[in-house]
Amino acid sequence: MTNWTPQQIYDLLKPNAYELTLLGRDLTINVQTQIATQTSSGASWSGNPPVYSNFSAIIYLNVSNGSTFSVIPDATIAHEYGAAWSQYHLWISHSDDWTPYLTERNLLNNQLLDSNSNWSRNELLADDYRMLFGTPVAQNEQNYINPYIPDPRTVAGLKDWFLNVWAA
């Protein structure tokens, strides 16, 4: 179906995947040509306030000629893994509370949030991950998703915040 082997996908993923041992058992990568590259994730919850568990994620990689993945594979896999990683911590570490992230990025109450894909909180968080934890190739294959807010690499202390607060 494609020219990508499972080993090639893994070799591309591994250096772009912080905490892969944590997410790996609950992560599926579907290499295909039918649907656009995207990440789908979920978790179950119980209680009030909710406690989330049973996280799982599927990264769909469209490997068709001319697809985003075929053109910029490192950036794409880092971004999509970043979507899974950030959603894991949103639910498991922060009980679906966006406030810590939005506050840290100075986006709390920003009226543009979720108005389009460049302002989607999920996409911003995934691309923050790519720019902070992706390989140099993943960082440089594509500009940051939103030109109207600071590139996460220029925000003092943001990477440490992700390591010590978001992923705690």
Side-chain angles (χ1 to χ4, degrees):
M1 175 171 99
T2 73
N3 294 329
W4 287 91
T5 67
Q7 187 63 50
Q8 288 172 311
I9 298 293
Y10 178 75
D11 289 346
L12 190 62
L13 173 68
K14 189 165 176 27
N16 285 294
Y18 176 67
E19 295 188 316
L20 184 57
T21 56
L22 178 65
L23 271 68
R25 69 181 187 278
D26 302 315
L27 176 65
T28 301
I29 298 180
N30 187 332
V31 179
Q32 45 79 46
T33 58
Q34 282 71 45
I35 60 172
T37 293
Q38 59 188 290
T39 299
S40 173
S41 60
S44 58
W45 62 272
S46 63
N48 189 11
V51 175
Y52 290 84
S53 60
N54 302 317
F55 175 83
S56 65
I58 302 171
I59 296 174
Y60 297 92
L61 295 176
N62 185 320
V63 296
S64 302
N65 287 337
S67 69
T68 304
F69 180 76
S70 70
V71 175
I72 51 171
D74 291 80
T76 302
I77 204 155
H79 177 90
E80 295 306 326
Y81 179 81
W85 180 84
S86 59
Q87 289 296 305
Y88 173 88
H89 286 295
L90 175 65
W91 287 318
I92 304 302
S93 305
H94 297 279
S95 298
D96 199 26
D97 181 7
W98 282 96
T99 306
Y101 170 72
L102 296 175
T103 301
E104 187 66 21
R105 284 300 262 140
N106 200 27
L107 295 169
L108 193 64
N109 300 318
N110 186 309
Q111 298 300 308
L112 295 172
L113 278 176
D114 299 320
S115 61
N116 62 48
S117 63
N118 289 353
W119 284 98
S120 161
R121 51 185 93 200
N122 288 321
E123 295 298 326
L124 289 167
L125 189 50
D127 224 41
D128 280 358
Y129 173 93
R130 174 180 68 89
M131 298 304 268
L132 294 170
F133 297 99
T135 63
V137 173
Q139 294 174 27
N140 294 322
E141 277 183 338
Q142 184 176 29
N143 291 332
Y144 182 63
I145 193 170
N146 189 319
Y148 302 105
I149 64 173
D151 180 316
R153 297 171 293 181
T154 68
V155 178
L158 185 60
K159 186 171 184 176
D160 288 337
W161 180 86
F162 272 111
L163 294 171
N164 299 311
V165 177
W166 190 253

